Structures are given as structure tokens and as C-alpha cells.
Amino acid sequence: MKNRFLELSFYNPFIQFLLLVATLFFLIHITKKLTRSYIVKNAIEPHRRKLILNLSYFLYYTLALFISLIIFGINFKEVIVFASSILAVLGVGFFAQWSILSNLTASIILFFYHPMRIGDTIKIIDKDFDLQGVVKNITGFYVLLYMPEEKREITVPNTIILYKGIELIKKQNNS
């Protein structure tokens, strides 16, 4: 009788893992509700909501992974060697593609300091090329501009938007 109690106790790693998964689902549910109410209250754009949710999911899943490793007794020295190897490869890859890293950094800056929104008409201030269009989408790497005069869409890297500067020609109607 005592062995059966110990198998179903809190000290069983599988019970701990199930509690972790339940907690993870609960946190995700609460985060969705809080984010939705914050978005409605502060009139934040839907694509920013998606970005906030994705970042919180990444944080939750990473934390759950590390807690799972603790629950199942994985040796952290091996995990640290594995993680450092992956980070070294990613570091070399980012160094080789410096523009990718700079675009990601620029997108973070544009996210928190948002001079433009989807639907705004902007002009990129540059002496070499004249770009003016309506912002259709803002992603992690580029801004999609629709140029109505030429009836075409172009992608502009976020670093161009950040470094060159922009002029807001016309704000969208509902802002």
C-alpha cells in the first residue's frame, strides 16, 4: 500500500512533469486574456499582440524546458556544453550574416519606438532613392511598402527605416 502511495506522490517525476504542463497551459491562457484586455484598453495593433504573445510563449517554453530537465535529473554540465555549442554556431552564423542581426535589432527598436503604423503613408528620406508608399506590413526583417503610383509592393529592410529616417506623409484614418 505504501509503494502505491509513493508512486502517485508529488515526488514522482512524471506527476511533476504533468503539473508543469498544466501550469504551462494555465500561464498561456492567462497571458492571452491579459494581453487581449491590454490590447483593447490601449488600442495596440493586432500584429504587435501577436509578437508579444510569441515572445511570452518562447519564454514560457524555454523555462518549462529547463524545469523539465531539472525534474528528470539531466546532468547540467552536458546541457551547458550542448547549449554553448549551439550558441557558438549561431554566433558564427549571425556574424556571417551581419545584416540579419542588424535587421532584427532594428525591428526591436521599431517595435518599441513605433514612428509608423500599418496604413500610414511614409517617405524614406534619402538622396539616392526616393521611396514613398503605404506601410502594408512590418515584420522582423523588413517593412512592406505599397507604392500606389507604380502599383507595386517593395520590401525595405528595417535597418534602412531606422538609419535613413522617415517622414510621415499621412497617418491612417483610425489613429
Side-chain angles (χ1 to χ4, degrees):
M1 195 66 126
K2 228 177 192 184
N3 289 341
R4 200 161 246 230
F5 175 74
L6 286 176
E7 288 177 7
L8 296 177
S9 75
F10 181 72
Y11 298 106
N12 186 337
F14 294 106
I15 299 295
Q16 291 174 344
F17 182 73
L18 289 176
L19 286 172
L20 176 67
V21 170
T23 304
L24 182 66
F25 282 124
F26 176 73
L27 283 174
I28 288 172
H29 178 71
I30 293 298
T31 302
K32 282 182 181 178
K33 283 188 148 210
L34 289 175
T35 305
R36 188 175 298 126
S37 68
Y38 181 78
I39 297 286
V40 169
K41 182 179 177 183
N42 295 321
I44 295 177
E45 298 171 351
H47 75 281
R48 291 189 190 272
R49 173 182 174 249
K50 185 178 178 183
L51 185 61
I52 291 169
L53 286 175
N54 286 340
L55 288 173
S56 64
Y57 295 159
F58 178 74
L59 177 70
Y60 291 154
Y61 290 134
T62 303
L63 188 62
L65 174 70
F66 282 115
I67 292 173
S68 300
L69 294 175
I70 291 171
I71 288 173
F72 290 114
I74 303 295
N75 187 357
F76 273 107
K77 288 182 181 178
E78 295 171 4
V79 172
I80 289 173
V81 168
F82 177 72
S84 64
S85 300
I86 291 204
L87 288 176
V89 169
L90 285 174
V92 169
F94 277 136
F95 185 73
Q97 294 292 329
W98 187 255
S99 64
I100 291 176
L101 184 59
S102 62
N103 274 323
L104 284 173
T105 306
S107 71
I108 292 170
I109 293 170
L110 287 175
F111 176 76
F112 288 110
Y113 171 72
H114 44 87
M116 65 190 170
R117 294 181 180 235
I118 294 176
D120 290 349
T121 301
I122 65 167
K123 178 180 182 179
I124 298 175
I125 302 169
D126 188 40
K127 64 180 179 178
D128 295 334
F129 54 92
D130 183 33
L131 291 177
Q132 181 173 331
V134 179
V135 178
K136 288 294 182 185
N137 197 2
I138 304 171
T139 69
F141 296 101
Y142 62 88
V143 173
L144 181 65
L145 284 181
Y146 174 70
M147 303 174 80
E149 306 86 42
E150 295 133 18
K151 296 187 190 231
R152 65 182 178 130
E153 291 182 343
I154 61 166
T155 59
V156 180
N158 287 336
T159 53
I160 300 289
I161 300 290
L162 188 65
Y163 294 141
K164 296 292 182 182
I166 60 170
E167 177 184 354
L168 285 174
I169 305 295
K170 184 175 78 172
K171 286 219 170 256
Q172 69 185 48
N173 294 335
N174 59 358
S175 57

